[in-house]
Amino acid sequence: MEKELPLQYLISFDKYLRAYDRMAVEGSAFEQEKARRILEAQAPFPELREGFSEVDKLDTHKEVLQFILQDAFSAVLSENEIKALTFPYKNILFSPSARLKAILDNAGEGFVPDLRNREEGFDYIMACTVILNFYYGYQFDFSRPYFFEIPDSEGVVRHYRIMYNADFLELIPTGTAVDITPEDVDELLERPEDIEFWKTKIPPRSFIVKGFAIANMFDVTNDQSISTIKSKLISSDKRGSDRFMKDLQDTFRSFFRQKDIQVGFITYNAKRDRLERVHGKGIESFILKGLDAEDCSQAFCDGSYEKLIQDQGYFVVPDMDKYKAVSESHPFYAGLYEQGIRSAIFAPIAEGGEMLGVLEVVSGVPNALNGVNATKLDDVMPYIVSAVQRSKIEEENLIDAIIQHECTTVHDSVLWRFQEEARRFIIDQLEGREPGFREISFDQVYPLYGQTDIKESSTARNEAIQRDLMIQLSGIRNVLSEALDLENLPVFEELIFRVDRYVREVGEVLHTNTEQLVFNFIQEEINPVFQHLKGRGGVLQTAVEAYEAGIDPTTQAYYDHRRNYDESIMRINKTMTSLLDHRQQDAQQMFPHYFERYKTDGVEHNMYIGSSIASEREFDPLYLNNLRLWQLQVVCEMENAHYNLKRDLAVPLDVASLILVHNTQLSIRFRMDEKRFDVDGTYNARYEVIKKRIDKSYIKGTSERLTQPGKLAIVYAQKSDELEYLRYIAFLRTKGYFTSNVEIVELEGLQGVTGLKAIRAEILYSKEGEEEPEKEFYNYNDLMKTLED
């Protein structure tokens, strides 16, 4: 079906022949003779000048046309040029050059090339712009490339760009043509996609295009393949697309001009020096042969590893038979050979020295891929590298999102394991399985636990609440007393009575619900009365406003002593956690381990160390000993940091520190419901019980609490632990961390736990800002006296 256009075609060679008319008069003797022969050959066929619309008449006049078109279609260049006689926006290719004819013959019998880049209505708009330019005299850029896609004898699609020579065309308006004003042009430019509107200004078949055009074609398969590869690689959802790999492989076949081409990808894990499968629809790896991952030492031979991974250069196998004969026993070549691969190019995907993966291009034909055509990849590798980098970033973002959703933030030391599980989660999604984030565990790890607890924090808090409530209730009573003096109403007496009762209750014992009861009483019964009193003006308004000036707008209560308490707690916690976090960075450099700390009334921290956490390093008990020594030092430093802060605190609270030693390996598991790690198994649960109860324990046979300000308590169960920590304390005493006052005590049995002992070592404190050797050290009692001075 013919497309509707503003043009109707009249095939004519008149404008072309007019050039010979001039040549017959004005040319050289040779040119005049040649022109006369061509004009004499055309003379018996006047319709070649007058024009005709029937395309089949081209074949009728084929013999004479070949003669008169000999200059336009040189026989000398026919084997090289790709050209034919044609008409704009038509697929007609008449009088093709020898090379074009061979290309069409190779495409197969009955093949008819079709112009690409022809969206619905596009040809109409393009034809209109030609008319506006060449007939009406406007200047518009109407150029847009047209392409033919023609398969070769191997079935590989090749791309040919068409450049039109329109020297022999004329535009002739018909009776339906209308005048075009500048205003009309402005409207057309404002409505570039409104084809029906364009038809009102330049109606269908309103112009005759008389003559013919010459289509010159150029093979741009490489450029087009590179552009297509780029487009495919920057597309979204590549892994989930059913057509991505198929289309990409077709493009590589055009790029290498080889029908028997396959493409694969693998990623490189630098941490583990291994190759890993890229999970996605249709994405394969010929090196991995269906495996999800394989160490490079197993996957590569020495030569391929050195060339690809170390040198990051192309590794080419042009003839697999020869390579297999030399290295028959190596699985790298044997595995490729078994898959029918007879030549291959393996290209490193790397950026800035960082190896990201490998592009695999393979063929079943020997020498089809070789060191010469491998250089063609130089043009596409930058796009592949960019795509892989972008995919890596997208995957990392997706992994982080999954971890954040499933697990919240996790510590860097175990992040690798969560990333592995997140990748498996993504793979399950890509392969159509129901994804689920499984529980993560680490076996055979040693635990370390410590706490620096704020002593008597509950008592200090209750005292702060009591003082604030007493002050607020006293202020309320003063206002009510003034109101009663001015107006002797029984309601004021009743409110004063209830205020006095709350004062007695708060002053005696602060029960759990007392604060809330007082707050409700003030909000519901006192505040409405005070608003009434303010409205009366005078001394009562002044009294209420004086009371309200002391009320915190956030808490709606008197908040002075509690503010001092809260700020003191906050400063203590902030100081200790800041030091602990900073020192943890050093500890991670010694040997990677899991670490978590959390604030309560003080700071607690958990650490787990073992080979299952630091999978890339070999664990030795030496690292456990080192971390235990580090923990002792840091807890002492936290104590010092607190006591240098204490003089500046509004509420001078004390702290006491404790370390729990557990010399048996255990397992920890990430609890998905609680979003945290916990010990795994019934036997290991005993450790958690001890952690929760140990700071409340007493020295056996006494009423003395284990944890005391100025002393570090180290709780243990085995004699070997005792000897180990006594060695550490002796060493740290020489460094100024402890005094010589060290005691060993037995603990009263806890519920379900007996047989625990503890070392209590007196901590040395130093004044902040003093440097060696003038630095002075103090025990706890000395320090307290110094702080009081």
Side-chain angles (χ1 to χ4, degrees):
M1 180 179 176
E2 285 287 323
K3 283 192 174 184
E4 189 175 46
L5 291 172
L7 305 170
Q8 48 183 307
Y9 292 96
L10 188 64
I11 303 169
S12 170
F13 298 89
D14 181 53
K15 189 175 182 180
Y16 174 79
L17 290 169
R18 290 203 300 265
Y20 288 102
D21 291 337
R22 291 189 298 273
M23 193 183 299
V25 177
E26 302 170 358
S28 64
F30 174 80
E31 290 173 335
Q32 289 179 4
E33 177 61 25
K34 181 179 181 180
R36 280 194 294 270
R37 289 200 309 269
I38 289 174
L39 293 171
E40 287 173 1
Q42 176 272 323
F45 309 101
E47 67 179 336
L48 293 179
R49 280 186 182 266
E50 295 166 0
F52 52 89
S53 58
E54 301 88 345
V55 176
D56 56 2
K57 284 189 176 182
L58 287 171
D59 289 324
T60 304
H61 300 295
K62 183 175 183 179
E63 187 174 335
V64 68
L65 286 175
Q66 286 179 338
F67 181 75
I68 67 175
L69 292 172
Q70 59 184 278
D71 285 338
F73 295 89
S74 170
V76 176
L77 300 175
S78 187
E79 297 290 339
N80 180 270
E81 292 182 333
I82 310 173
K83 63 192 301 184
L85 183 149
T86 189
F87 303 94
Y89 319 115
K90 294 284 189 178
N91 288 330
I92 297 170
L93 294 174
F94 178 74
S95 188
S97 64
R99 185 176 175 189
L100 177 54
K101 187 176 184 307
I103 290 171
L104 294 173
D105 289 343
N106 287 333
E109 186 177 352
F111 176 80
V112 178
D114 189 29
L115 286 175
R116 210 185 72 203
N117 275 13
R118 300 178 72 187
E119 298 91 345
E120 187 66 32
F122 174 74
D123 284 349
Y124 198 99
I125 302 293
M126 286 290 289
C128 288
T129 58
V130 170
I131 294 169
L132 289 170
N133 275 26
F134 291 98
Y135 184 79
Y136 290 104
Y138 294 96
Q139 296 298 316
F140 298 119
D141 181 7
F142 61 89
S143 60
R144 181 172 179 181
Y146 283 98
F147 296 89
F148 278 135
E149 293 181 349
I150 306 174
D152 63 15
S153 58
E154 299 295 324
V156 176
V157 175
R158 306 197 59 74
H159 303 268
Y160 300 90
R161 181 172 179 174
I162 307 165
M163 302 292 288
Y164 289 104
N165 182 337
D167 290 349
F168 308 112
L169 289 173
E170 297 176 280
L171 281 173
I172 305 168
T174 67
T176 58
V178 298
D179 291 333
I180 300 291
T181 66
E183 290 75 17
D184 292 330
V185 173
D186 291 341
E187 284 191 85
L188 289 170
L189 295 179
E190 290 173 359
R191 303 164 75 170
E193 297 178 355
D194 189 346
I195 296 173
E196 295 304 317
F197 179 73
W198 280 69
K199 289 179 180 179
T200 65
K201 301 299 181 183
I202 306 177
R205 301 175 64 81
S206 57
F207 280 82
I208 296 171
V209 57
K210 181 180 179 181
F212 69 93
I214 298 173
N216 295 282
M217 287 172 265
F218 304 90
D219 190 338
V220 292
T221 302
N222 270 10
D223 294 339
Q224 193 66 23
S225 297
I226 291 170
S227 177
T228 304
I229 289 170
K230 180 181 178 182
S231 299
K232 293 294 180 187
L233 292 172
I234 65 176
S235 63
S236 60
D237 193 27
K238 294 184 287 293
R239 295 188 186 186
S241 170
D242 291 317
R243 293 199 55 84
F244 169 69
M245 278 307 295
K246 182 183 182 304
D247 292 344
L248 191 64
Q249 300 212 82
D250 288 343
T251 305
F252 267 93
R253 287 164 185 161
S254 295
F255 185 60
F256 279 99
R257 305 187 184 186
Q258 299 283 343
K259 184 178 181 181
D260 185 18
I261 289 284
Q262 291 179 280
V263 179
F265 292 94
I266 40 178
T267 59
Y268 174 68
N269 186 326
K271 290 183 178 180
R272 300 191 176 187
D273 191 31
R274 74 177 186 181
L275 303 175
E276 296 176 351
R277 176 186 168 198
V278 179
H279 291 273
K281 294 182 179 180
I283 303 178
E284 301 292 342
S285 168
F286 306 100
I287 294 176
L288 290 179
K289 306 181 295 294
L291 297 175
D292 283 336
E294 190 170 23
D295 292 341
C296 286
S297 59
Q298 299 296 317
F300 289 127
C301 64
D302 292 341
S304 57
Y305 182 82
E306 180 180 358
K307 188 70 175 176
L308 270 170
I309 307 301
Q310 294 179 345
D311 299 342
Q312 295 182 1
Y314 297 156
F315 183 73
V316 183
V317 185
D319 190 344
M320 196 66 67
D321 289 299
K322 292 181 180 179
Y323 279 75
K324 182 174 178 291
V326 175
S327 305
E328 187 171 357
S329 61
H330 200 283
F332 175 69
Y333 299 103
L336 295 172
Y337 195 87
E338 288 170 3
Q339 297 174 75
I341 296 168
R342 296 299 179 265
S343 61
I345 301 171
F346 300 101
I349 303 171
E351 176 65 19
E354 180 188 2
M355 187 72 176
L356 304 173
V358 177
L359 167 67
E360 308 167 326
V361 186
V362 302
S363 171
V365 180
N367 294 311
L369 298 169
N370 50 69
V372 175
N373 60 14
T375 59
K376 291 165 67 73
L377 288 175
D378 293 346
D379 296 325
V380 299
M381 288 309 296
Y383 304 122
I384 293 175
V385 170
S386 296
V388 171
Q389 285 180 314
R390 186 169 57 255
S391 294
K392 183 179 180 182
I393 292 171
E394 290 170 357
E395 182 179 85
E396 287 172 352
N397 291 339
L398 181 56
I399 286 171
D400 288 344
I402 292 171
I403 293 173
Q404 186 72 24
H405 180 266
E406 299 289 339
C407 316
T408 70
T409 304
V410 297
H411 192 258
D412 287 346
S413 62
V414 296
L415 181 59
W416 64 271
R417 181 65 187 85
F418 286 83
Q419 290 171 335
E420 284 186 346
E421 185 60 23
R423 286 192 181 93
R424 189 199 58 77
F425 187 100
I426 294 170
I427 290 166
D428 284 349
Q429 281 185 322
L430 289 171
E431 297 186 351
R433 296 189 291 270
E434 185 67 29
F437 205 95
R438 298 176 302 197
E439 287 188 333
I440 291 172
S441 63
F442 295 95
D443 299 325
Q444 303 298 301
V445 295
Y446 291 95
L448 294 90
Y449 170 77
Q451 69 173 44
T452 299
D453 187 44
I454 298 174
K455 298 296 291 181
E456 307 297 337
S457 58
S458 298
T459 301
R461 181 182 182 278
N462 286 342
E463 288 177 356
I465 293 171
Q466 282 178 306
R467 291 173 182 175
D468 282 344
L469 289 178
M470 294 288 281
I471 291 171
Q472 186 170 2
L473 289 169
S474 176
I476 291 170
R477 194 183 195 287
N478 291 338
V479 174
L480 292 173
S481 295
E482 284 200 49
L484 183 62
D485 290 342
L486 290 174
E487 191 172 2
N488 190 15
L489 295 178
V491 66
F492 293 143
E493 284 190 83
E494 193 271 339
L495 288 173
I496 291 172
F497 169 76
R498 292 167 66 188
V499 168
D500 289 340
R501 188 181 67 189
Y502 278 124
V503 167
R504 288 192 299 274
E505 288 183 12
V506 170
E508 292 172 358
V509 179
L510 187 68
H511 295 289
T512 305
N513 64 338
T514 301
E515 183 181 6
Q516 188 62 48
L517 288 173
V518 173
F519 181 81
N520 292 341
F521 167 66
I522 294 171
Q523 291 294 313
E524 296 170 8
E525 301 192 47
I526 297 298
N527 286 347
V529 172
F530 279 15
Q531 290 304 309
H532 168 72
L533 297 178
K534 277 176 67 177
R536 296 179 61 181
V539 294
L540 290 180
Q541 179 181 353
T542 303
V544 172
E545 289 176 348
Y547 161 79
E548 290 178 340
I551 301 302
D552 182 79
T554 303
T555 62
Q556 293 295 304
Y558 190 79
Y559 185 65
D560 185 29
H561 293 88
R562 276 175 288 185
R563 180 187 294 107
N564 290 338
Y565 170 83
D566 290 341
E567 288 180 354
S568 296
I569 292 288
M570 181 192 68
R571 290 187 65 187
I572 292 171
N573 284 341
K574 184 176 180 180
T575 298
M576 291 194 296
T577 55
S578 177
L579 188 150
L580 181 59
D581 290 345
H582 177 72
R583 294 286 276 112
Q584 239 297 300
Q585 296 175 16
D586 298 331
Q588 290 292 340
Q589 297 300 316
M590 300 172 190
F591 193 87
H593 57 278
Y594 179 75
F595 169 80
E596 66 176 356
R597 57 102 177 132
Y598 37 95
K599 302 175 187 176
T600 52
D601 283 348
V603 178
E604 297 181 46
H605 65 270
N606 285 311
M607 295 183 288
Y608 299 98
I609 187 170
S611 58
S612 61
I613 291 177
S615 60
E616 298 168 25
R617 294 182 59 176
E618 184 177 347
F619 176 74
D620 187 276
L622 172 69
Y623 296 113
L624 171 64
N625 299 337
N626 191 73
L627 193 58
R628 286 175 169 176
L629 182 58
W630 173 89
Q631 186 185 32
L632 279 174
Q633 291 176 282
V634 172
V635 170
C636 290
E637 290 170 10
M638 290 167 64
E639 286 263 1
N640 269 273
H642 166 259
Y643 284 110
N644 277 295
L645 173 70
K646 184 176 178 180
R647 72 187 73 197
D648 299 324
L649 296 176
V651 181
L653 298 163
D654 283 325
V655 300
S657 298
L658 175 148
I659 287 173
L660 175 61
V661 183
H662 191 81
N663 208 20
T664 304
Q665 291 175 309
L666 46 74
S667 298
I668 58 173
R669 182 179 297 275
F670 189 84
R671 306 295 183 186
M672 301 300 295
D673 52 345
E674 300 177 14
K675 309 298 185 188
R676 60 182 294 272
F677 274 104
D678 199 356
V679 296
D680 191 35
T682 305
Y683 175 76
N684 294 330
R686 179 176 182 271
Y687 172 73
E688 286 294 325
V689 172
I690 297 173
K691 273 172 51 178
K692 292 175 181 177
R693 300 175 181 173
I694 192 63
D695 66 325
K696 302 295 192 295
S697 60
Y698 290 86
I699 304 299
K700 192 171 184 178
T702 73
S703 58
E704 181 184 353
R705 290 279 291 268
L706 168 64
T707 54
Q708 296 293 330
K711 294 180 180 181
L712 172 56
I714 304 163
V715 179
Y716 59 92
Q718 299 183 26
K719 185 66 176 179
S720 59
D721 298 330
E722 177 184 302
L723 297 175
E724 180 181 350
Y725 275 85
L726 287 175
R727 290 199 310 271
Y728 297 153
I729 292 169
F731 167 70
L732 292 176
R733 190 165 61 243
T734 66
K735 300 291 184 180
Y737 285 89
F738 296 105
T739 72
S740 58
N741 185 8
V742 178
E743 58 182 327
I744 297 174
V745 297
E746 289 188 46
L747 305 184
E748 288 284 2
L750 302 171
Q751 184 178 353
V753 180
T754 58
L756 295 178
K757 300 177 71 176
I759 300 171
R760 291 205 300 190
E762 188 176 42
I763 300 169
L764 269 177
Y765 299 93
S766 61
K767 284 184 178 179
E768 191 175 50
E770 294 183 348
E771 299 180 358
E772 302 286 2
E774 293 82 5
K775 192 174 193 178
E776 296 183 53
F777 293 98
Y778 307 83
N779 64 20
Y780 177 74
N781 292 328
D782 294 334
L783 184 65
M784 291 301 99
K785 291 178 183 177
T786 301
L787 294 177
E788 291 169 3
D789 292 341

